[in-house]
């Protein structure tokens, strides 16, 4: 889904880098907007205002937001899934249920973590709103969800469930020790708290120690009961609980990036709490604004430091300091020193190969890892007839994707400012030529 979204932007407006960065910012705004709207509607304008400020006190809506990626593309879907479900749950109108089903399918196309929210709302319906099961709305949402998701389910079967295998591999849920079922969920909870720590800190500073010191077990129980009674609060905290339980059952290492949208919705809880605390304190608002400005400014300074200080301190360039256009220029120069026709295919890994495919003067198709599982749209007969450009961190074998690798060359991936690092990234390039047919060449070393 994230790739489709950015491709629409490219098709409409061109391939300028600033459009990609702007798209990431638009995704952030579109993710925060539904949370503000639902909080404002349910808890008042003050709560909505504090929510808007708190939502920008996370790593993912400031430092990471400069980079458009699968996480940024998915971000809006979570917020609008929350919004449409709460509208459907409250009003029980078929239109809202239909929107929820369609947006949920879009969310699943974006990232499978969307399924965590679907588990959360299913729990809410079965535990708190069973009356909805007697109405057609939830069934309409489920029907539209399955219809929209059917092409993806078919592809999953044909690809031997590749994305699920990838996710399980990253989580390291195989061959777990017994203590991982305790340690991993604890680590996840700590990392989640860390991700929302700036907004919690702003709230704590504004509230002051006197109020914080009055927190008791009775008040905590009252807060839990309120979460249990309010669908928005349950939608904000329920997914954290669901992910924790999944990690506990599987012993899985849940990546913090997988739960990026949870922090945005959690900002709604901060907004609700801040609005309530402001009522009994005349200087609460001023303290919150000062702490917010200081914390937001710190995040911005950290972002700037990544670009200014990183080249001085690190022995390899940060991802955002790789010079993509210059790499594409070097690779194109290499290609045209051996071939006359433009290359229509790039074979290689997503990062170097995708970068060259993006910045090249022609727009070739990326045949990721030379596997139809990753790029099922590639016409193998056309590829074998035309040949391809190989770009990857790994040195190519004698034969790649049924073609012979010739004219192998290793080059440095240029970094911003022309700096050479101690552990500078290196890229292998090669021309891939047909191994069969009239223009066949012999694969050296095969």
């Amino acid at each position: 889904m994230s790739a489709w979204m950015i491709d629409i932007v490219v098709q409409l407006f061109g391939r300028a880098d600033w459009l990609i960065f702007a798209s990431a910012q638009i995704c952030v705004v579109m993710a925060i907007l539904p949370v503000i709207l639902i909080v404002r509607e349910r808890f008042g304008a003050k709560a909505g205002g504090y929510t808007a400020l708190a939502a920008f006190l996370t790593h993912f809506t400031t430092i990471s937001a400069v980079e458009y990626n699968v996480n940024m593309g998915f971000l809006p879907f979570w917020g609008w899934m929350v919004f449409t479900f709460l509208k459907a749950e409250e009003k029980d109108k078929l239109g809202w249920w239909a929107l929820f089903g369609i947006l949920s399918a879009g969310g699943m196309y974006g990232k499978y973590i969307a399924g965590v929210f679907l588990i959360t709302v299913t729990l809410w319906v079965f535990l708190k709103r069973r009356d909805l099961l007697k109405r057609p709305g939830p069934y309409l949402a489920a029907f539209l969800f399955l219809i929209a998701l059917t092409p993806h389910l078919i592809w999953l079967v044909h690809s031997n469930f590749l994305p699920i295998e990838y996710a399980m591999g990253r989580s390291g849920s195989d061959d777990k020790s017994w203590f991982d079922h305790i340690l991993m969920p604890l680590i996840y909870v700590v990392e989640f708290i860390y991700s929302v720590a700036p907004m919690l800190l702003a709230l704590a500073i504004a509230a002051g120690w006197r109020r914080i010191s009055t927190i008791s077990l009775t008040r905590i129980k009252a807060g839990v009961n309120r979460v249990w009674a309010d669908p928005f609060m349950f939608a904000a905290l329920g997914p954290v609980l669901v992910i924790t339980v999944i990690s506990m059952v599987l012993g899985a290492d849940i990546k913090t990036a997988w739960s990026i949208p949870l922090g945005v919705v959690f900002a709604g809880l901060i907004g609700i709490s801040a609005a309530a605390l402001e009522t009994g304190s005349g200087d609460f608002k001023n303290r919150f604004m000062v702490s917010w400005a200081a914390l937001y400014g710190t995040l911005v300074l950290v972002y700037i430091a990544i670009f200014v200080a990183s080249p001085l301190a690190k022995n390899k360039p940060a991802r955002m300091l790789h010079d993509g256009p210059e790499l594409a220029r070097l690779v194109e120069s290499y290609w045209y020193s051996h071939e006359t026709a433009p290359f229509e295919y790039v074979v290689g890994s997503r990062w170097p190969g995708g970068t060259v495919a993006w910045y090249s003067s022609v727009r070739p198709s990326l045949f990721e890892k030379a596997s139809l599982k990753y790029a099922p749209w590639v016409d193998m007969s056309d590829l074998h007839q035309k040949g391809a450009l190989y770009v990857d961190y790994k040195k190519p074998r004698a034969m790649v994707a049924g073609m012979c690798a010739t004219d192998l060359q290793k080059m440095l991936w240029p970094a911003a400012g022309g700096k050479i690092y101690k552990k500078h990234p290196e890229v292998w390039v090669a021309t891939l030529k047909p191994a069969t047919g009239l223009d066949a060449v012999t694969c050296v070393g095969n």
Side-chain angles (χ1 to χ4, degrees):
M1 178 59 74
S2 300
W4 294 342
M5 290 164 60
I6 204 64
D7 195 58
I8 291 172
V9 172
V10 169
Q11 294 297 333
L12 291 175
F13 304 108
R15 288 191 292 168
D17 280 353
W18 71 267
L19 281 171
I20 310 304
F21 299 138
S23 297
Q25 307 308 310
I26 291 171
C27 285
V28 169
V29 173
M30 290 301 294
I32 296 173
L33 179 61
V35 181
I36 296 173
L37 292 175
I38 204 70
V39 170
R40 180 184 175 89
E41 179 182 305
R42 289 172 174 260
F43 302 98
K46 282 185 179 180
Y50 281 119
T51 297
L53 292 172
F56 284 99
L57 287 182
T58 72
H59 177 284
F60 305 114
T61 53
T62 51
I63 299 172
S64 294
V66 70
E67 176 188 334
Y68 181 88
N69 54 36
V70 64
N71 296 312
M72 290 296 107
F74 168 67
L75 202 56
F77 285 95
W78 189 281
W80 287 106
M81 285 168 64
V82 172
F83 182 87
T84 53
F85 171 74
L86 293 176
K87 284 291 188 181
E89 189 258 4
E90 175 190 4
K91 299 183 179 300
D92 194 25
K93 299 292 185 182
L94 293 180
W96 285 115
W97 284 113
L99 279 174
F100 174 62
I102 294 170
L103 281 169
S104 296
M108 289 295 288
Y109 274 106
K111 293 198 78 170
Y112 290 161
I113 198 71
V116 167
F117 183 70
L118 298 181
I119 294 172
T120 303
V121 301
T122 300
L123 288 172
W124 176 261
V125 170
F126 275 96
L127 296 175
K128 302 291 289 185
R129 291 298 309 272
R130 289 187 184 178
D131 58 297
L132 291 173
L133 298 176
K134 300 176 182 179
R135 304 283 297 161
Y139 304 102
L140 174 64
F143 174 76
L144 293 175
F145 172 79
L146 290 173
I147 290 296
L149 206 61
T150 295
H152 183 68
L153 295 175
I154 294 172
W155 175 78
L156 266 181
V157 173
H158 285 291
S159 65
N160 294 322
F161 300 94
L162 181 67
I164 296 175
E165 180 184 334
Y166 165 79
M168 296 298 286
R170 285 204 67 192
S171 66
S173 55
D174 296 331
D175 301 324
K176 285 294 183 178
S177 302
W178 65 267
F179 59 82
D180 286 317
H181 297 271
I182 301 172
L183 180 62
M184 291 305 169
L186 287 176
I187 290 176
Y188 167 72
V189 172
V190 170
E191 288 183 344
F192 176 76
I193 293 173
Y194 172 76
S195 72
V196 297
M199 60 179 81
L200 287 171
L201 183 57
L203 183 66
I205 292 172
W209 174 248
R210 182 178 298 178
R211 284 192 172 186
I212 295 174
S213 63
T214 62
I215 296 175
S216 63
L217 183 60
T218 302
R219 289 196 172 188
I220 293 174
K221 288 176 66 176
V224 171
N225 290 334
R226 191 178 181 191
V227 170
W228 182 241
D230 186 273
F232 171 77
M233 294 185 180
F234 190 81
L237 287 179
V240 180
L241 178 61
V242 170
I243 293 176
T244 303
V245 171
I246 291 173
S247 180
M248 185 180 299
V249 172
L250 299 178
D253 177 16
I254 305 297
K255 305 301 180 183
T256 308
W258 294 352
S259 57
I260 287 176
L262 278 65
V264 174
V265 181
F266 186 85
L269 298 182
I270 300 295
I272 295 166
S273 302
L277 290 169
E278 183 188 338
T279 303
S281 175
D283 58 349
F284 176 92
K285 181 178 180 180
N286 290 334
R287 290 202 301 268
F288 187 92
M289 293 303 298
V290 170
S291 61
W292 180 89
L295 290 165
Y296 183 78
T298 300
L299 289 170
V300 172
L301 288 175
V302 170
Y303 165 70
I304 294 173
I306 290 175
F307 289 93
V308 177
S310 175
L312 303 176
K314 299 184 72 173
N315 57 13
K316 60 181 179 180
R319 187 162 56 180
M320 290 179 287
L321 295 178
H322 286 63
D323 193 335
E326 182 61 16
L327 175 65
R329 187 191 68 78
L330 291 175
V331 171
E332 282 192 315
S333 177
Y334 158 84
W335 172 266
Y336 288 116
S337 68
H338 298 88
E339 304 291 333
T340 55
F343 54 95
E344 297 185 24
Y345 295 96
V346 174
V347 178
S349 55
R350 184 191 324 171
W351 185 230
T355 297
V356 171
W358 172 260
Y359 285 109
S360 63
S361 55
V362 294
R363 195 175 181 195
S365 180
L366 175 63
F367 191 23
E368 185 178 352
K369 297 184 178 180
S371 173
L372 290 173
K373 286 185 177 181
Y374 293 93
W377 53 82
V378 171
D379 184 337
M380 293 301 294
S381 60
D382 187 62
L383 173 69
H384 289 158
Q385 179 184 354
K386 296 176 178 176
L389 169 67
Y390 178 90
V391 184
D392 205 326
Y393 290 124
K394 298 178 180 179
K395 182 178 180 179
R397 299 184 304 274
M399 181 174 284
V400 178
M403 297 174 289
C404 295
T406 64
D407 305 311
L408 279 63
Q409 183 176 325
K410 184 166 64 173
M411 61 178 62
L412 295 178
W413 185 325
K419 180 178 174 62
I420 304 296
Y421 292 78
K422 185 177 180 180
K423 293 184 178 179
H424 205 94
E426 298 177 327
V427 175
W428 281 93
V429 295
T431 55
L432 302 181
K433 298 184 177 181
T436 60
L438 296 177
D439 299 322
V441 298
T442 302
C443 297
V444 178
N446 212 33

